[in-house]
Amino acid sequence: MTEFSPREIVSELDRFIVGQNDAKRAVAIALRNRWRRLRVADDLREEILPKNILMIGPTGVGKTEIARRLAKLANAPFLKVEATKFTEVGYVGRDVDQIVRDLLDIGMTMTRESMREQVKTKAEARAEERVLEALVGASAGAETKAKFPQDAARGPACRPRDRRRGPGHRRLPAADHGDPGHAGRRHGHGQSAGHAGQGVRRPRQDPPAERGRKLRSADGRGERQAARPDKVTREAIRVVEQNGIVFLDEIDKICARSERIGGDVSREGVQRDLLPLIEGTTVSTKHGTVRTDHILFIASGAFHLAKPSDLLPELQGRLPIRVELKPLTQADFRRILTEPQASLIRQYKALLATEGVTLDFTEDAIDALAELAAQINGSVENIGARRLHTVMERLLEEISFTAPDRSGSTRTIDAAYVNAQVAALAKDTDLSKFIL
């Protein structure tokens, strides 16, 4: 569990997500409360339950990204699932218990890799020690053992006459076609004891890199012990129960709206199925039983056609923390293009740099891109930051297509180029629906 303070967690999330400070503060406090719960007395620890979160906001404003980055920061098992998956097959849909089973599978993989990393250094040191004793003897001095691994890594020097053929190669004897006994000797007939092994090609020695790899894996007992199925299963279940995070997306799509009757039976059934899972229950899996009491559930939805109050009262009570994410403005779009660690402009520069093409974005070009994204979101459909992907793809379509033929060139993207490539299309609302 991470020991970051809430302020440090928000600062870390700021590296990847622009704005939405209320949501960042809520998830930071929820994550820190987990760290606090593990340090209270045992009799009180089980009584402290996580405060699940409901994020409300339009699409493309960072709801999923906040949850994903939070789980990565905490190194916690994370699962994203759409609530609508449970209504696809008539009134039955998928079993909601599958959420916990999938989360445990993710936890098993993470735990297995973590255990291997913990013993990797010890296993490498033990492997080198065993191989060294087999080569120089257990009674060899410390100075000899200290020097030998360096010599072993370099490998035996090649003799000058065999350098081109590689180490370990022995030259075959020249054929003597005039010797009537040559054929017999070639097939092993009439060979003397002194020439018994002559002419046999010995296997080549592995290159140093391959020898190093085999040396590191020579003793895998530590990794095998760390990755024992029973030990991995117990630790994975513990990690999932204490640190697991489930992101329930599109929860507004399963709201039972009062003005509609027909298909709401299925939606209400999904809500009732989710109730015990979020409140805390025991789910049977192929690896054992998993309790969901302390799994953190983060639900989200746009709530364009429904309201959070349309959820079942019991489900509302299990999502006590509600945060509203704000729509992105033109200033937010500009920050998204430049500020995050993996900003879009940096991504496209890196992509085209692989072709030898250098992209240079001017300040007025960035302003024009942000203005266009905000304008199109307002006139067509508000899809949030995803609008920048469509605008950037349209802007750089010609450059990306001809990049292999223009290696070594530099392309400057200014406001005039942005307007020429994108602005004319964005003005036609009907046409922009299909192009952007």
Side-chain angles (χ1 to χ4, degrees):
M1 176 63 62
T2 178
E3 296 187 1
F4 289 160
S5 68
R7 191 182 305 275
E8 292 172 334
I9 295 173
V10 172
S11 177
E12 187 70 17
L13 293 176
D14 285 339
R15 296 172 51 204
F16 305 97
I17 304 159
V18 170
Q20 314 302 349
N21 293 326
D22 292 342
K24 292 176 183 176
R25 287 170 63 93
V27 298
I29 294 173
L31 185 61
R32 185 64 175 183
N33 280 338
R34 283 188 160 189
W35 180 88
R36 294 165 179 161
R37 188 184 71 84
L38 296 177
R39 283 154 179 79
V40 302
D42 294 341
D43 58 339
L44 189 59
R45 183 182 306 164
E46 290 299 317
E47 302 297 328
I48 301 177
L49 301 178
K51 307 303 184 289
N52 299 313
I53 302 171
L54 175 62
M55 294 185 181
I56 305 168
T59 182
V61 296
K63 300 188 296 293
T64 305
E65 192 66 15
I66 288 175
R68 181 181 290 113
R69 294 291 179 181
L70 181 75
K72 188 174 182 180
L73 179 64
N75 194 25
F78 174 76
L79 177 67
K80 176 183 180 295
V81 62
E82 288 79 15
T84 52
K85 289 291 184 182
F86 306 104
T87 61
E88 288 181 349
V89 188
Y91 293 124
V92 181
R94 293 176 57 189
D95 183 10
V96 294
D97 291 346
Q98 188 64 34
I99 295 175
V100 180
R101 299 187 183 102
D102 293 342
L103 185 65
L104 181 57
D105 290 340
I106 296 172
M108 292 280 290
T109 302
M110 294 180 60
T111 303
R112 190 178 295 110
E113 292 300 323
S114 175
M115 288 183 169
R116 286 176 177 172
E117 287 297 323
Q118 290 175 3
V119 300
K120 183 177 181 181
T121 303
K122 187 183 296 184
E124 290 179 354
R126 186 166 52 199
E128 292 179 0
E129 183 180 353
R130 292 183 62 195
V131 173
L132 191 59
E133 289 182 357
L135 292 175
V136 302
S139 60
E143 185 177 355
T144 303
K145 290 184 178 181
K147 292 180 179 180
F148 193 84
Q150 300 176 3
D151 298 335
R154 287 194 296 266
C158 301
R159 290 175 294 177
R161 62 187 180 88
D162 291 335
R163 187 177 301 276
R164 289 178 298 176
R165 297 177 178 269
H169 174 78
R170 298 194 62 174
R171 194 184 301 275
L172 294 175
D176 186 1
H177 300 286
D179 184 0
H182 173 72
R185 289 196 301 272
R186 185 176 57 189
H187 291 88
H189 302 295
Q191 276 188 331
S192 62
H195 298 281
Q198 191 172 0
V200 179
R201 183 171 181 175
R202 297 179 180 177
R204 292 186 60 181
Q205 295 186 7
D206 294 324
E210 181 66 16
R211 268 202 311 279
R213 187 190 65 80
K214 291 183 177 180
L215 180 67
R216 290 190 296 271
S217 60
D219 190 348
R221 291 183 301 172
E223 293 190 16
R224 288 195 297 270
Q225 291 177 0
R228 287 184 304 180
D230 55 341
K231 187 176 181 180
V232 171
T233 300
R234 289 196 302 269
E235 180 64 16
I237 292 177
R238 186 194 69 81
V239 170
V240 167
E241 289 181 342
Q242 302 299 324
N243 300 338
I245 299 176
V246 174
F247 184 75
L248 284 171
D249 199 9
E250 298 181 355
I251 197 169
D252 59 316
K253 305 300 188 299
I254 61 172
C255 286
R257 292 179 289 276
S258 56
E259 64 271 14
R260 296 183 58 184
I261 303 297
D264 289 341
V265 177
S266 174
R267 297 186 179 92
E268 186 173 333
V270 175
Q271 294 185 59
R272 296 194 179 279
D273 289 342
L274 288 173
L275 283 177
L277 200 68
I278 297 179
E279 183 180 18
T281 186
T282 301
V283 178
S284 298
T285 70
K286 62 181 179 181
H287 302 293
T289 58
V290 178
R291 293 176 55 197
T292 65
D293 301 71
H294 300 288
I295 295 177
L296 177 63
F297 287 87
I298 302 177
S300 77
F303 289 97
H304 290 311
L305 303 178
K307 304 182 296 295
S309 58
D310 290 331
L311 293 169
L312 294 180
E314 299 88 345
L315 188 58
Q316 294 182 47
R318 288 158 179 79
L319 299 169
I321 301 178
R322 300 184 184 181
V323 291
E324 185 174 355
L325 286 82
K326 302 174 183 177
L328 299 177
T329 63
Q330 180 176 335
D332 293 329
F333 285 129
R334 196 187 194 289
R335 294 179 59 194
I336 292 172
L337 286 171
T338 56
E339 290 186 9
Q341 183 173 335
S343 63
L344 278 180
I345 289 181
R346 183 180 178 187
Q347 292 179 28
Y348 279 99
K349 283 184 176 180
L351 285 174
L352 290 175
T354 61
E355 302 275 8
V357 177
T358 303
L359 284 181
D360 182 19
F361 285 84
T362 62
E363 292 297 323
D364 59 348
I366 298 175
D367 292 334
L369 286 170
E371 183 181 356
L372 279 172
Q375 174 187 342
I376 299 172
N377 271 350
S379 61
V380 181
E381 186 68 36
N382 189 359
I383 60 174
R386 297 185 180 93
R387 182 67 65 187
L388 290 174
H389 292 274
T390 60
V391 172
M392 291 290 291
E393 281 294 326
R394 182 65 185 180
L395 174 69
L396 300 176
E397 180 182 4
E398 181 65 24
I399 297 177
S400 297
F401 188 79
T402 60
D405 304 325
R406 300 189 178 186
S407 179
S409 62
T410 300
R411 299 298 302 270
T412 300
I413 309 298
D414 54 12
Y417 186 83
V418 172
N419 292 327
Q421 296 293 322
V422 184
L425 299 174
K427 290 179 181 178
D428 191 337
T429 304
D430 295 332
L431 188 59
S432 62
K433 290 181 180 179
F434 301 97
I435 296 179
L436 297 176

